[in-house]
Amino acid sequence: MLNNVTEIGIKIRQFREAANLTQQQIAEYLSVDQSLISKFEKGERAISSDTLNQLAVLFCCPVSALVSAEKTAPTYNIAFRTNAINFEDLNALSVINKIALNQLQMDQLAGGIKND
């Protein structure tokens, strides 16, 4: 588990870039200023557990993937065919991702394969 805000910020940036999202898009999704996202990614500002949870849902990964030293990737990848992703799109995506993450957890609890 990472306890250094700089390392957590690096992971957040990696997940954001893998999702092809800008800091501004993440800021709009979280209803914060873009400069705060920059500070998170640089390790200049600690991030709350609520915000980590929101980001984990958006990136379709458990919170542990954002705070773990292990190299991890999003559980599911979704591609958009537009560069004009807005707040509503990200909110819809987070709802879909929450369903997918819940299904993954249910499968694991039912004895399914960890990465199926």
Side-chain angles (χ1 to χ4, degrees):
M1 180 158 187
L2 299 173
N3 57 8
N4 182 325
V5 293
T6 302
E7 293 170 341
I8 294 171
I10 290 168
K11 292 280 286 225
I12 291 169
R13 187 186 76 237
Q14 289 170 344
F15 274 81
R16 178 182 59 76
E17 289 174 348
N20 290 322
L21 296 172
T22 66
Q23 287 182 348
Q24 183 61 41
Q25 290 168 318
I26 299 296
E28 289 174 10
Y29 168 71
L30 296 174
S31 299
V32 299
D33 191 72
Q34 177 272 328
S35 64
L36 183 60
I37 304 305
S38 177
K39 289 178 182 177
F40 287 154
E41 290 184 0
K42 292 177 184 175
E44 296 173 356
R45 185 86 186 264
I47 187 167
S48 72
S49 60
D50 288 340
T51 301
L52 277 173
N53 189 49
Q54 286 179 286
L55 289 173
V57 170
L58 179 63
F59 298 140
C60 201
C61 67
V63 172
S64 61
L66 296 175
V67 299
S68 169
E70 289 182 31
K71 184 173 174 86
T72 54
T75 307
Y76 298 99
N77 290 321
I78 295 177
F80 290 101
R81 295 179 186 241
T82 180
N83 291 331
I85 299 170
N86 61 30
F87 174 78
E88 290 84 15
D89 297 330
L90 293 178
N91 276 334
L93 178 60
S94 70
V95 170
I96 293 166
N97 286 350
K98 188 174 264 189
I99 293 167
L101 288 168
N102 286 339
Q103 182 62 51
L104 179 65
Q105 186 176 25
M106 294 298 290
D107 290 346
Q108 289 173 348
L109 289 172
I113 299 172
K114 182 177 181 182
N115 292 320
D116 59 343

